[in-house]
Amino acid sequence: MTGTVRGVLAVVGVLGAVGAFWAVGAIAGPAADAQGRPPGVPRGEVAIPLAGESDVATSNGPLRVLAPHGPFERGRAVVVMRSQGARTTVRLKVTGVGRTAAGRTFGAHLHTGPCVAGDGAAAGPHYNTDVINGRKPVRADHEREIWLDFTVSPSGAANASASVPFAPKPGDRSIVIHEHATDHHGTAGARLACLPLAWN
Ligand SMILES: [Cu+2]
């Protein structure tokens, strides 16, 4: 993934430090210098690497239209996907949605393929960790796929987030917005718009 950072926790204040890239505890003594100090950590203080790394993939820009005359023709979106160990959280923010869509809920998912304007099929199927890893039976649910359904506010904005117990493999992928909320089979109707999300 792009933007790899190594998370660091201090010996003290561990609970409060989660989420900070660098956190420093004031621990004096020989133990401090026995640890490798990351950049910015003063001498005499200690930082201990978290288990695993935090990998971040982001995308920000205009939505690409897959079906004409929909409410997303002037839409924009930001997506941030962060994996730490086997856990991944994804946040999606959509703005500029047409007023006719206020109050409606749209399905949105991570798909395996690229986001190509006018070509919904190019995005391929949902990213499903069972399929990618050859596990059977394949199940389609919010633990095996990244579902980001959102409801549009009166101002034409929406937010969604998802947390899944796997780290998606890199690729030239996309977030696809569909015409309906996702049902329990994972289907959500026609593909209306997409945002590219590529990382390696
Ligand atoms: Cu989808």
Side-chain angles (χ1 to χ4, degrees):
M1 281 186 173
T2 56
T4 298
V5 292
R6 177 172 289 278
V8 170
L9 280 186
V11 166
V12 294
V14 166
L15 290 176
V18 172
F21 289 158
W22 306 104
V24 176
I27 295 196
D33 283 337
Q35 305 283 339
R37 275 177 300 141
V41 176
R43 194 170 183 79
E45 300 186 338
V46 63
I48 295 176
L50 287 176
E53 293 188 342
S54 172
D55 294 327
V56 182
T58 65
S59 180
N60 179 3
L63 291 169
R64 296 178 183 174
V65 173
L66 302 176
H69 313 304
F72 296 100
E73 295 197 318
R74 295 179 167 200
R76 299 182 60 87
V78 182
V79 64
V80 178
M81 182 168 73
R82 185 175 191 215
S83 296
Q84 196 153 32
R87 195 89 212 164
T88 299
T89 55
V90 187
R91 289 177 205 286
L92 173 69
K93 182 177 180 68
V94 182
T95 54
V97 186
R99 288 185 170 207
T100 56
R104 279 181 61 189
T105 299
F106 296 88
H109 322 105
L110 178 67
H111 283 239
T112 60
C115 171
V116 179
D119 185 3
H126 289 183
Y127 189 103
N128 181 299
T129 190
D130 284 349
V131 173
I132 296 284
N133 291 295
R135 278 195 295 264
K136 291 194 172 142
V138 169
R139 278 176 285 184
D141 60 28
H142 66 276
E143 296 259 286
R144 292 168 178 82
E145 301 184 351
I146 294 175
W147 293 0
L148 293 160
D149 288 30
F150 57 83
T151 300
V152 178
S153 77
S155 68
N159 288 286
S161 65
S163 178
V164 294
F166 62 89
K169 293 182 177 172
D172 189 359
R173 310 201 188 281
S174 52
I175 303 292
V176 175
I177 298 171
H178 297 256
E179 66 176 333
H180 303 306
T182 306
D183 69 16
H184 64 280
H185 300 296
T187 56
R191 301 175 180 201
L192 301 184
C194 61
L195 182 75
L197 181 60
W199 72 100
N200 48 44

